[in-house]
Amino acid sequence: MAKAVWFPDEEQARQTRLYRLMQRFGISDYDRFYERSIQNVSWFWEAVVQDLELEWIRPYRQVMDASDGIQWTRWFVDGCFNVSHNCLDRWVNRNESRHRLALVWEGDDGAVRKYTYRDLWFEVNRLARGLSQLGIQKGDRVGIYLPMIPENVVAMLAIARIGAIFTPCFSGYGAQAVASRLNDCGAKLLITADGFLRRGKVVPMKEEADRAVDLSPSVKKVLVVRRLKRDVPWNEERDIEWDHLMTEMKPFSPEATASEDPFMIIYTSGTTGKPKGTVHVHTGFPIKAAFDAGYGMDVGPGDILFWVTDMGWMMGPWMVFGALMMGAAMLLFEGTPDYPEPDRLWRIVASHGVSHLGISPTVIRALMKHDVSWVKRHDLSSLRVFGSTGEPWNPEPWQWLFEQVGGGRVPIFNYSGGTEISGGILGGNLLKPIAPCSFSGPMPGMDADVWNENGQTVRGEVGELVLRQPWVGMTKGFWNDPQRYEETYWSRWPKTWVHGDWVEVDEEGFWYITGRSDDTLKIAGKRMGPAEMESVLVDHPAVVESATVGVPDETKGEQAVCFAVLAPGYEPGEELESDLIRLVEEKMGKALRPKRVHFVQELPKTRNGKILRRVIRAAYLGNEAGDLSSLENPDAVAAIRSLGTAEANRV
């Protein structure tokens, strides 16, 4: 395992919000603070809420109540709290913060819009009143199928303000994927746009939304944002112009929502079956997101948080609530990181003064193919922290980001958790050294461990990532499917959340995710996460990115089959395949020699860069691939299925 390469500056560390929180309780040593945070999770989360100076409509009488079982823990019992008020009114009511920057938007075409907290508050109040006049009430569900535009944020906050519940849908979904979510939650209204721009081309959206609504009998009205002002089909009985609803300028008082009232249902794709609707409440997801952003990554007033994502993925809402709960600004970007030139991402960072940039390893692997001069032409001195999530790192792209982009001064805050978590289980730490590709350990308040198949703590070997205690932000089950929730996370060991990640903790105390436990290979009795073999492959100059899956083998139980995307200038062939197989054998041992290395144009992945290994394996073996609604590039699946068919015929 790697040694630390980034070390905190002592003076800067003392200025972080996390260190100041520790000092409030007379603690200077981070490890001691973490231990206290899991010895008494009730104390810890109350300390966070008090330090954030959140505003309650009615104070809570008890921090947590697990009397219905750990999996159904209730937080801030009997309190009333509205997240829209705490994201906006709390800042607008103060002279020093009402005119502070809250949101920056840049379109694919370079258009820019900016909103102060007061600007955003006005827009949210106008929409809240309009939605109320449409008959949207507390508890109603509203689908949001919008691109990365400011109206997306306005819609989320306005829906929460009136006590209704929003369901964000990935902007790249087709009608069937949107309809499945609208039907599952029983949405009454869909908010969409006429279209958006991607790589300079118009992407129609209203037409797809119409098809989704035609499949969703619960949806009565469609609210349309004119992003492109293009002609679109119009149903006079069903469709409403966004601008026609934004007429009243009077403030709209936030609903007195209870702590445990849902404000969001966000769907996460299942390996099989329908997507899971994770339920999040006013005092859950927003507080966890605020802690992880504000104390983990040190996001605060004056900072600009920019995560390359979509609102349909967890990190979209996370960015919204993480930034606004902390009094910072967020940046929304409609386009792609390398259009119209390979420096688009770096130009955005420089032109808007981004302080916190969140990216996936997949994005970096794509950008590092271009000459580093594209990076060097921009002043990136505003950057304080890189955030990364979505995939395990390989050493080469990690080092490229750290050295070439960050100049060795910007820490990479590796971050992993999930939609059901409201943020991170594992994270970096700005108070401790950081090693390449690693996590510093569990986030404060997250009682995480690594267990073997017998439920025993292990170090120095791969095991299951588990959580032994509840936390603020844990999902309130799956919408209308509590049994599936319990079976998915709580059924393997009593009172223990099993997350589904394989993790290893090394002798230095650094944590590494080696892959999803359902992606794990077991070759000749040796258990291995795919990231280890993939890192060996991408060390070869010919390979840009790779994926490894296990296929059945009569002798070894399983054998590895690898898929590689080649760098420009390299051609696929038997000689290169032999070289790569030999490289893996040299680095990892003869027993782990892969059966094949296939060359592909691209790997199946989501818009936010997560490689779907379960889909690769299923397609290659000719099996049902499960829910594919989050896929960015379905053609990649068809190509892999063809390779699998050809291999089966060859054998």
Side-chain angles (χ1 to χ4, degrees):
M1 297 295 182
K3 301 291 185 182
V5 297
W6 180 86
F7 299 87
D9 175 271
E10 186 174 342
E11 182 56 35
Q12 290 178 345
R14 289 176 178 273
Q15 298 303 314
T16 63
R17 185 144 192 165
L18 178 59
Y19 187 83
R20 297 201 305 271
L21 176 63
M22 290 163 49
Q23 287 286 286
R24 280 188 62 175
F25 300 98
I27 303 173
S28 296
D29 178 71
Y30 172 79
D31 291 336
R32 191 159 71 87
F33 177 75
Y34 171 74
E35 285 301 320
R36 185 169 176 189
S37 80
I38 61 171
Q39 286 168 1
N40 189 339
V41 292
S42 177
W43 163 82
F44 170 74
W45 289 109
E46 183 164 43
V48 170
V49 163
Q50 290 179 351
D51 197 64
L52 285 171
E53 298 181 343
L54 300 180
E55 295 180 356
W56 298 81
I57 299 167
R58 182 178 68 226
Y60 55 89
R61 64 170 178 83
Q62 184 179 349
V63 176
M64 61 180 284
D65 178 2
S67 58
D68 292 331
I70 184 175
Q71 65 271 43
W72 301 108
T73 300
R74 295 186 300 138
W75 294 90
F76 308 108
V77 180
D78 291 343
C80 279
F81 178 99
N82 188 287
V83 64
S84 181
H85 173 89
N86 277 275
C87 284
L88 297 175
D89 304 60
R90 187 161 57 105
W91 307 112
V92 172
N93 292 338
R94 303 176 188 177
N95 291 333
E96 70 275 12
S97 53
R98 66 170 59 105
H99 298 300
R100 186 189 296 157
L101 187 64
L103 190 155
V104 180
W105 172 76
E106 182 166 315
D108 183 79
D109 56 357
V112 172
R113 280 193 271 163
K114 296 184 179 183
Y115 296 76
T116 66
Y117 271 87
R118 189 169 182 270
D119 295 334
L120 191 56
W121 178 83
F122 264 122
E123 295 299 296
V124 168
N125 275 271
R126 291 165 70 191
L127 182 60
R129 186 169 295 281
L131 291 175
S132 179
Q133 290 169 352
L134 273 184
I136 302 299
Q137 301 174 351
K138 182 178 181 180
D140 286 342
R141 277 79 65 201
V142 178
I144 302 177
Y145 178 46
L146 286 170
M148 290 294 276
I149 55 177
E151 288 83 355
N152 209 321
V153 177
V154 172
M156 292 162 62
L157 292 167
I159 293 164
R161 193 172 190 85
I162 63 178
I165 305 166
F166 67 85
T167 292
C169 297
F170 168 46
S171 60
Y173 277 152
Q176 188 62 56
V178 176
S180 69
R181 288 151 175 80
L182 298 177
N183 284 315
D184 187 69
C185 71
K188 192 173 176 180
L189 169 74
L190 178 65
I191 303 176
T192 192
D194 55 0
F196 60 98
L197 297 177
R198 184 168 172 80
R199 295 189 171 277
K201 297 178 180 177
V202 171
V203 179
M205 208 168 192
K206 174 63 162 58
E207 293 85 344
E208 207 67 33
D210 284 345
R211 286 190 282 271
V213 172
D214 288 342
L215 297 170
S216 310
S218 64
V219 177
K220 305 305 179 188
K221 297 290 183 182
V222 178
L223 184 59
V224 184
V225 178
R226 294 286 190 174
R227 158 70 180 105
L228 302 178
K229 297 180 172 54
R230 54 186 287 267
D231 289 332
V232 291
W234 201 259
N235 182 332
E236 292 292 346
E237 294 182 1
R238 191 171 69 187
D239 298 339
I240 303 164
E241 295 267 7
W242 172 281
D243 288 346
H244 292 175
L245 211 62
M246 302 285 284
T247 54
E248 292 255 13
M249 295 294 289
K250 294 185 294 186
F252 188 93
S253 297
E255 179 70 27
T257 40
S259 300
E260 291 281 294
D261 281 345
F263 79 101
M264 175 174 70
I265 303 169
I266 184 167
Y267 286 82
T268 178
S269 298
T271 303
T272 58
K274 68 179 184 179
K276 306 183 292 273
T278 62
V279 180
H280 291 288
V281 301
H282 281 258
T283 57
F285 188 107
I287 294 175
K288 172 64 172 163
F291 177 80
D292 288 6
Y295 297 81
M297 302 181 201
D298 203 42
V299 174
D303 289 326
I304 297 180
L305 172 63
F306 171 29
W307 212 281
V308 182
T309 186
D310 187 276
M311 286 302 170
W313 311 134
M314 186 213 81
M315 293 309 297
W318 182 96
M319 172 173 62
V320 172
F321 296 106
L324 298 182
M325 292 279 283
M326 296 307 305
M330 76 191 85
L331 189 147
L332 303 189
F333 176 44
E334 180 186 46
T336 52
D338 59 352
Y339 177 85
E341 301 285 356
D343 64 339
R344 182 66 183 273
L345 185 66
W346 317 124
R347 186 172 64 76
I348 289 172
V349 169
S351 62
H352 297 294
V354 171
S355 57
H356 294 71
L357 174 64
I359 36 74
S360 69
T362 301
V363 169
I364 296 305
R365 284 193 289 265
L367 293 178
M368 66 185 285
K369 291 187 295 186
H370 305 289
D371 190 90
V372 75
S373 63
W374 288 104
V375 177
K376 300 302 182 183
R377 65 181 62 182
H378 297 286
D379 176 9
L380 304 180
S381 59
S382 63
L383 281 171
R384 291 205 294 118
V385 178
F386 292 119
S388 84
T389 192
E391 277 280 299
W393 279 98
N394 310 115
E396 186 183 3
W398 194 99
Q399 293 284 2
W400 186 85
L401 177 65
F402 181 65
E403 294 170 2
Q404 300 298 331
V405 183
R409 68 172 183 85
V410 182
I412 299 176
F413 189 101
N414 213 3
Y415 187 57
S416 184
T419 308
E420 308 89 334
I421 305 296
S422 300
I425 299 174
L426 304 180
N429 192 318
L430 304 184
L431 304 182
K432 301 185 74 173
I434 295 174
C437 309
S438 73
F439 299 86
S440 303
M443 300 290 292
M446 306 299 286
D447 188 6
D449 202 358
V450 182
W451 285 6
N452 64 15
E453 56 197 17
N454 298 317
Q456 299 165 323
T457 296
V458 291
R459 294 293 182 263
E461 63 180 86
V462 172
E464 286 273 10
L465 178 63
V466 300
L467 285 160
R468 296 174 292 205
Q469 294 190 72
W471 65 96
V472 165
M474 59 191 291
T475 181
K476 302 302 170 184
F478 301 150
W479 185 257
N480 290 335
D481 202 350
Q483 184 177 349
R484 188 183 181 198
Y485 162 65
E486 292 192 353
E487 289 172 352
T488 301
Y489 294 109
W490 299 97
S491 59
R492 185 167 179 186
W493 288 296
K495 299 182 179 180
T496 303
W497 173 286
V498 179
H499 193 59
D501 280 339
W502 281 123
V503 172
E504 183 174 354
V505 184
D506 73 4
E507 66 278 3
E508 300 288 330
F510 293 113
W511 294 50
Y512 297 84
I513 291 180
T514 62
R516 296 290 296 169
S517 53
D518 52 8
D519 291 337
T520 299
L521 294 76
K522 195 169 186 180
I523 302 171
K526 299 177 178 65
R527 183 177 286 153
M528 183 194 75
E532 192 173 354
M533 191 172 290
E534 292 162 4
S535 292
V536 172
L537 290 170
V538 297
D539 274 345
H540 192 286
V543 179
V544 174
E545 61 180 351
S546 66
T548 297
V549 300
V551 300
D553 180 81
E554 288 184 8
T555 304
K556 296 183 176 182
E558 251 188 340
Q559 268 193 299
V561 171
C562 305
F563 300 84
V565 177
L566 296 181
Y570 289 90
E571 295 295 328
E574 291 183 7
E575 185 177 348
L576 180 55
E577 182 183 6
S578 297
D579 286 348
L580 293 172
I581 290 173
R582 190 162 47 248
L583 178 65
V584 173
E585 185 177 331
E586 289 171 2
K587 297 283 188 181
M588 301 189 68
K590 190 172 183 179
L592 298 177
R593 172 190 173 98
K595 179 181 180 180
R596 289 295 309 271
V597 176
H598 291 289
F599 302 108
V600 294
Q601 293 295 316
E602 54 183 350
L603 298 170
K605 59 183 71 170
T606 61
R607 173 79 64 91
N608 63 339
K610 184 177 291 186
I611 297 170
L612 297 178
R613 292 173 186 82
R614 65 167 176 84
V615 171
I616 294 173
R617 184 177 189 274
Y620 188 72
L621 295 175
N623 298 332
E624 175 59 43
D627 177 32
L628 301 180
S629 59
S630 63
L631 263 184
E632 163 83 344
N633 50 349
D635 290 347
V637 180
I640 289 170
R641 193 175 293 277
S642 297
L643 288 171
T645 301
E647 181 69 13
N649 292 336
R650 188 172 77 96
V651 173

